Amino acid sequence: MDLTTLGLSDLAGLLQRRELSAPELTRTCLDKIQQEDGRYRSFLTVCEERAVNRAAAAQRRLDRGEGGPLTGLPLAVKDNICIKDLPATCGSKMLENYRPSYTATAVKRLEKAGMVVLGKTNMDEFAMGSTSMTSYKGGPKNPLDPDRVAGGSSGGSAAAVAAGFVPAALGSDTGGSVRQPAAFCGLAGLRPTYGAVSRFGLIAFASSMDQIGPMARRAADCGLLFAAMAGEDPLDAATKGPASRGRSGAAPAAAGELPGDCLSFLQGKVIGIPVEFFAELPSEIGALLEKTAAVFCRMGCRLQKASLPGYPYAVAAYYLLSSAEAASNLARFDGVRYGLRVQGESYAELAGRTRREGFGDEVKRRILLGNYALSSGYYERYYKKAQAVRREIRREFDRLFAGCDFLLTPTVPALPGKIGASKSPAEMYAADLCALPASLAGLPALTVTAGFAKEGLPIGLSLTGRPFQEAALVAAGAAYETYTDGGRRL
Ligand code: GLN
């Protein structure tokens, strides 16, 4: 049996039935990483000793009959999510030697449920990008075609799951960084509602949109991780819901039993097809998404034309707002408090030299853009206008969800690009357009594999839902996966 292709529930079943032990599973994954990750560069750090100890502890729990559905299962964590005493470089030279003194709440909850972290994954520098190629260590490769990018910014997490190193990983999604790499690597990925999962311990990029999200082979596995991470956290004032919400580690009810339950859940649900998103898609992706919509129809959903007129402005609004927030969040990296320090005669010289050497080009571009947009005179012209677009997009979603349950869109309007292909920043930003409306509106969105392009590369579909409807999204995604055998039979 190939352990490296199984989902979380299958692996948990083997552990519960004593057909496999947690230390054996961890060892299998660690060996595979050691033998094969030279090819993909999906990990920046592998914490072997820590993982082996925790797998042994998980096994003791299982032996006492105290294990849950996640106990003993391996996990990879994006390198902008802090784990006490492990590196958290954020893919940047700036934080090369930084070791946080605390652990992110999301990771704490998954470890409490018994998951075993194997290491920290490669990413775009400070999570800015769509390829993971801005990593100071060099970006990861897509295991489905190593000449292509794994996507970004959580490309290392996606590559680690797609390569079979771990059954699941955590990424962060500010403007699509969980969904886009998951789609490029043939996985499921969930961006939670803003405030559903604590951001404590996530190194901030654009605080009004940052969310930690799960990536796995199937939607149901994302549902399991989400349920274990979600809920109020006194350390993140943006979190909502009763303290116990979803903390038990139990799957959302609808995602637990497949496929009957999910199918019956879908009956009569209304799927909005936004005309604007489909207008300019490359023909292969457009044709596949039409087939996808037909599959939802056959499963018992109703399709309805929908409209999000503000969508063409989402890219400009997102890049302006996220850069403004990034400029202020990244001001803390001045050579005094964290990470790199390049000495200078004065504070200004020290900070200037440190930032010049520590940050890469893309990060500098965003800091410049962000500070420009926030400077007096331009604040009204750019920042306030972008906020107005954001509010309008939120209102459009409210109207849209009065008439439908989910919004169906492609995850990315393109296939993963070749490594080394040169694109201007503006072209790169434009490719995020399908992911950005949900980010601006703070809504949950799930990607699963819709089907495959001629070259065999995966194409993702995204469902966006009402706030805190993650379980419904997971049920709909899981139904699609089961019905189409993961996009192989449309
Ligand atoms: N491509 C987006 C950006 O570069 C995604 C970032 C993210 O979600 N972390 O900003």
Side-chain angles (χ1 to χ4, degrees):
M1 183 178 3
D2 186 1
L3 294 179
T4 62
T5 59
L6 294 180
L8 293 178
S9 315
D10 294 330
L11 289 169
L14 293 175
L15 293 174
Q16 304 283 346
R17 294 193 301 275
R18 302 286 187 275
E19 290 166 35
L20 175 70
S21 75
E24 280 164 1
L25 177 57
T26 289
R27 179 44 54 203
T28 304
C29 294
L30 287 170
D31 287 349
K32 195 170 164 75
I33 294 167
Q34 208 205 351
Q35 283 154 19
E36 296 172 25
D37 200 35
R39 266 185 252 159
Y40 304 124
R41 268 197 310 241
S42 60
F43 281 91
L44 292 174
T45 304
V46 177
C47 48
E48 174 156 353
E49 199 185 318
R50 186 180 187 277
V52 166
N53 290 337
R54 293 199 174 225
Q59 189 57 44
R60 288 194 291 277
R61 245 171 102 172
L62 288 162
D63 290 341
R64 289 195 303 269
E66 290 165 8
L70 294 174
T71 309
L73 301 181
L75 179 75
V77 176
K78 187 177 180 178
D79 208 28
N80 59 348
I81 302 173
C82 294
I83 299 181
K84 188 173 184 290
D85 298 332
L86 291 184
T89 70
C90 258
S92 180
K93 186 175 172 199
M94 184 63 92
L95 291 180
E96 190 164 22
N97 299 316
Y98 172 59
R99 299 276 185 287
S101 54
Y102 54 90
T103 297
T105 300
V107 174
K108 250 193 187 153
R109 289 182 181 173
L110 294 177
E111 290 196 319
K112 203 166 161 221
M115 289 198 93
V116 179
V117 173
L118 303 192
K120 307 290 299 290
T121 56
N122 208 346
M123 57 181 283
D124 275 309
E125 187 178 7
F126 284 101
M128 298 172 189
S130 310
T131 59
S132 298
M133 288 296 156
T134 68
S135 163
Y136 83 122
K137 285 285 190 190
K141 296 179 178 176
N142 191 324
L144 305 183
D145 176 353
D147 290 335
R148 292 181 189 263
V149 300
S153 62
S154 314
S157 288
V161 178
F165 299 150
V166 278
L170 294 185
S172 68
D173 191 311
T174 305
S177 283
V178 160
R179 293 164 281 161
Q180 188 255 32
F184 278 2
C185 292
L187 308 174
L190 175 68
R191 173 193 165 82
T193 311
Y194 186 73
V197 173
S198 170
R199 293 162 305 154
F200 178 74
L202 170 65
I203 296 174
F205 162 15
S207 315
S208 75
M209 290 179 270
D210 294 343
Q211 272 294 284
I212 293 175
M215 307 160 86
R217 283 186 239 294
R218 290 298 174 102
D221 290 349
C222 290
L224 274 170
L225 291 194
F226 171 77
M229 291 191 285
E232 203 170 7
D233 176 13
L235 298 171
D236 177 357
T239 51
K240 293 196 186 99
S244 61
R245 184 173 182 268
R247 257 199 221 173
S248 61
E257 302 113 56
L258 292 172
D261 248 29
C262 290
L263 270 183
S264 54
F265 166 81
L266 272 186
Q267 299 315 301
K269 292 278 181 294
V270 182
I271 307 237
I273 311 283
V275 281
E276 293 88 359
F277 284 71
F278 284 81
E280 290 157 38
L281 285 180
S283 59
E284 194 176 20
I285 295 178
L288 178 68
L289 261 285
E290 275 176 28
K291 282 194 199 162
T292 295
V295 168
F296 277 105
C297 253
R298 290 207 297 280
M299 289 194 296
C301 297
R302 210 151 51 71
L303 302 182
Q304 187 173 296
K305 270 213 173 105
S307 177
L308 211 60
Y311 152 88
Y313 307 103
V315 172
Y318 166 82
Y319 275 94
L320 207 119
L321 296 171
S322 63
S323 299
E325 293 184 34
S328 96
N329 274 325
L330 270 57
R332 74 191 67 180
F333 302 111
D334 62 354
V336 176
R337 283 162 289 187
Y338 305 87
L340 184 73
R341 172 177 300 173
V342 184
Q343 292 295 352
E345 294 293 307
S346 61
Y347 170 74
E349 196 175 278
L350 179 147
R353 284 183 179 168
T354 301
R355 288 165 72 80
R356 204 169 305 133
E357 268 191 40
F359 290 139
D361 288 348
E362 183 60 26
V363 172
K364 286 178 186 156
R365 183 177 298 121
R366 309 254 185 143
I367 292 173
L368 285 173
L369 176 65
N371 281 325
Y372 180 79
L374 288 174
S375 55
S376 73
Y378 295 116
Y379 179 81
E380 305 269 324
R381 219 156 111 194
Y382 297 113
Y383 186 79
K384 278 196 122 171
K385 218 175 198 175
Q387 288 287 34
V389 168
R390 182 178 194 174
R391 275 194 302 277
E392 183 52 31
I393 288 178
R394 276 200 195 132
R395 275 197 290 268
E396 288 174 6
F397 268 116
D398 284 345
R399 282 198 286 274
L400 200 145
F401 284 128
C404 55
D405 298 286
F406 306 112
L407 190 73
L408 174 69
T409 64
T411 306
V412 197
L415 298 174
K418 293 258 190 204
I419 291 173
S422 71
K423 266 196 186 165
S424 73
E427 284 173 303
M428 199 90 103
Y429 300 167
D432 288 340
L433 80 175
C434 296
L436 299 178
S439 289
L440 287 165
L443 296 172
L446 172 80
T447 180
V448 298
T449 302
F452 295 86
K454 277 195 297 295
E455 303 95 311
L457 293 165
I459 295 175
L461 72 88
S462 274
L463 293 170
T464 304
R466 298 189 184 104
F468 298 101
Q469 294 294 304
E470 284 83 0
L473 290 176
V474 167
Y480 183 87
E481 289 172 334
T482 309
Y483 201 84
T484 62
D485 187 20
R488 276 173 207 89
R489 213 181 40 225
L490 294 196

